[in-house]
Coordinates of all heavy atoms in Angstrom, one line a residue:
W1 N 114.8 77.6 98.6 CA 113.4 78.1 98.6 C 113.4 79.6 99.1 O 114.3 79.9 99.8 CB 112.4 77.4 99.4 CG 112.9 77.1 100.9 CD1 113.6 76.2 101.3 CD2 112.4 77.9 101.9 NE1 113.7 76.3 102.7 CE2 113.0 77.3 103.1 CE3 111.7 79.1 102.0 CZ2 112.9 77.9 104.3 CZ3 111.5 79.6 103.3 CH2 112.1 79.2 104.4
A2 N 112.3 80.3 98.6 CA 112.1 81.7 99.1 C 110.6 81.7 99.3 O 109.8 81.2 98.6 CB 112.6 82.7 98.2
A3 N 110.2 82.5 100.3 CA 108.8 82.7 100.6 C 108.4 84.2 100.6 O 109.3 85.0 101.3 CB 108.3 81.9 101.7
E4 N 107.4 84.6 100.1 CA 106.9 86.0 100.2 C 105.6 86.1 100.8 O 104.7 85.4 100.4 CB 106.9 86.6 98.8 CG 106.3 87.9 98.6 CD 106.1 88.4 97.3 OE1 106.6 87.8 96.3 OE2 105.2 89.4 97.1
K5 N 105.4 86.9 101.8 CA 104.1 87.2 102.4 C 103.4 88.1 101.6 O 104.0 89.1 101.3 CB 104.2 87.6 103.9 CG 102.9 87.7 104.5 CD 103.1 88.1 106.0 CE 101.7 88.3 106.6 NZ 101.7 88.7 108.0
V6 N 102.2 87.8 101.2 CA 101.4 88.7 100.3 C 100.7 89.8 101.2 O 100.0 89.5 102.2 CB 100.3 87.9 99.4 CG1 99.5 88.9 98.6 CG2 100.9 86.8 98.7
E7 N 101.1 91.0 100.9 CA 100.6 92.1 101.7 C 99.4 92.8 101.3 O 98.8 93.7 101.9 CB 101.8 93.1 101.9 CG 103.0 92.5 102.5 CD 103.0 92.1 103.9 OE1 102.0 92.5 104.7 OE2 103.9 91.5 104.5
G8 N 99.0 92.5 100.0 CA 97.8 93.2 99.3 C 97.8 93.1 97.9 O 98.8 92.5 97.3
G9 N 96.8 93.5 97.3 CA 96.8 93.3 95.8 C 96.5 92.1 95.3 O 95.8 91.3 96.0
V10 N 97.0 91.7 94.2 CA 96.8 90.4 93.6 C 98.2 89.7 93.4 O 99.2 90.5 93.3 CB 96.0 90.5 92.3 CG1 94.7 90.9 92.4 CG2 96.9 91.2 91.3
R11 N 98.2 88.4 93.4 CA 99.5 87.7 93.2 C 99.2 86.4 92.6 O 98.1 85.7 92.7 CB 100.0 87.4 94.6 CG 101.5 86.9 94.7 CD 102.3 88.0 94.2 NE 103.7 87.6 94.4 CZ 104.4 86.7 93.7 NH1 103.9 86.1 92.6 NH2 105.6 86.4 94.0
N12 N 100.1 86.0 91.7 CA 99.9 84.7 90.9 C 101.3 84.1 90.8 O 102.2 84.6 91.0 CB 99.2 84.9 89.6 CG 100.0 85.8 88.7 OD1 100.7 86.8 89.0 ND2 100.1 85.3 87.4
I13 N 101.1 82.8 90.4 CA 102.4 82.0 90.1 C 102.1 81.2 88.8 O 100.9 81.1 88.5 CB 102.7 80.9 91.2 CG1 101.5 80.0 91.4 CG2 103.1 81.6 92.5 CD1 101.8 78.8 92.3
S14 N 103.0 80.9 88.1 CA 102.9 80.1 86.9 C 104.2 79.8 86.2 O 104.8 80.6 85.5 CB 102.1 81.0 85.8 OG 101.8 80.2 84.7
N15 N 104.7 78.5 86.4 CA 105.7 77.8 85.6 C 107.0 78.7 85.6 O 107.7 78.6 84.6 CB 105.3 77.5 84.2 CG 104.3 76.4 84.3 OD1 103.1 76.6 84.8 ND2 104.5 75.3 83.8
Q16 N 107.3 79.6 86.5 CA 108.5 80.3 86.5 C 108.5 80.9 88.0 O 107.6 81.0 88.7 CB 108.5 81.5 85.5 CG 107.6 82.7 85.8 CD 107.7 83.7 84.8 OE1 107.4 83.4 83.6 NE2 107.7 84.9 85.1
L17 N 109.8 81.3 88.4 CA 109.9 81.9 89.7 C 109.6 83.3 89.5 O 109.7 83.9 88.6 CB 111.4 81.8 90.2 CG 112.0 80.4 90.3 CD1 113.6 80.5 90.6 CD2 111.2 79.6 91.3
S18 N 108.8 83.9 90.6 CA 108.4 85.2 90.6 C 108.6 86.0 91.8 O 108.4 87.2 91.8 CB 106.8 85.1 90.3 OG 106.2 84.5 91.4
I19 N 109.2 85.3 92.8 CA 109.7 86.1 93.8 C 110.9 86.8 93.6 O 112.0 86.1 93.2 CB 109.8 85.2 95.1 CG1 108.5 84.7 95.6 CG2 110.5 85.9 96.4 CD1 108.6 83.6 96.7
T20 N 111.0 88.1 93.7 CA 112.2 88.8 93.3 C 112.9 89.3 94.6 O 113.6 88.5 95.2 CB 111.7 90.0 92.4 OG1 110.9 91.0 93.1 CG2 111.2 89.5 91.0
T21 N 112.8 90.5 95.0 CA 113.6 91.0 96.2 C 112.9 91.0 97.4 O 113.5 91.2 98.5 CB 114.1 92.4 95.8 OG1 113.1 93.3 95.5 CG2 115.1 92.4 94.7
K22 N 111.5 90.9 97.5 CA 110.7 90.8 98.6 C 110.7 89.4 99.1 O 109.9 88.7 98.6 CB 109.3 91.4 98.4 CG 108.5 91.5 99.7 CD 107.0 91.8 99.5 CE 106.2 91.9 100.7 NZ 106.2 90.8 101.5
I23 N 111.6 89.1 100.0 CA 111.6 87.7 100.5 C 111.5 87.9 102.0 O 112.3 88.5 102.7 CB 113.0 87.1 100.2 CG1 113.3 87.0 98.6 CG2 113.2 85.7 100.8 CD1 114.6 86.6 98.3
D24 N 110.4 87.2 102.5 CA 110.1 87.2 104.0 C 110.7 86.1 104.7 O 110.8 86.2 105.9 CB 108.6 87.4 104.1 CG 108.1 88.7 103.6 OD1 108.5 89.9 103.9 OD2 107.3 88.6 102.6
R25 N 110.8 84.9 104.0 CA 111.5 83.8 104.6 C 112.3 83.1 103.6 O 111.9 83.2 102.4 CB 110.4 82.7 105.2 CG 109.7 83.3 106.4 CD 108.8 82.2 106.9 NE 109.3 81.0 107.3 CZ 108.7 79.9 107.6 NH1 107.4 79.9 107.7 NH2 109.4 78.8 107.9
E26 N 113.4 82.5 104.0 CA 114.2 81.8 102.9 C 115.0 80.7 103.5 O 115.2 80.5 104.7 CB 115.3 82.8 102.3 CG 116.2 83.4 103.3 CD 117.0 84.5 102.8 OE1 116.4 85.5 102.4 OE2 118.2 84.4 102.8
H27 N 115.5 79.8 102.7 CA 116.3 78.8 103.0 C 117.5 79.4 103.7 O 118.1 80.3 103.1 CB 116.7 77.9 101.8 CG 117.6 76.6 102.2 ND1 118.8 76.8 102.5 CD2 117.1 75.4 102.3 CE1 119.4 75.5 102.7 NE2 118.3 74.7 102.6
P28 N 118.1 78.9 104.7 CA 119.2 79.6 105.5 C 120.4 79.6 104.7 O 121.3 80.6 104.8 CB 119.5 78.6 106.7 CG 118.6 77.4 106.6 CD 117.6 77.7 105.5

């Protein structure tokens, strides 16, 4: 898994991975 903290603006998800290089937490 990967987690991204939303820092502003808008964010959505939908039937695909969308976290790219901004990863704030991740599986070790």
Side-chain angles (χ1 to χ4, degrees):
W1 56 272
E4 173 189 343
K5 185 175 181 181
V6 179
E7 302 289 349
V10 297
R11 192 65 170 77
N12 64 315
I13 58 173
S14 183
N15 295 61
Q16 69 182 53
L17 298 177
S18 63
I19 294 174
T20 57
T21 58
K22 184 185 180 308
I23 301 172
D24 297 299
R25 291 183 56 191
E26 65 190 57
H27 185 281

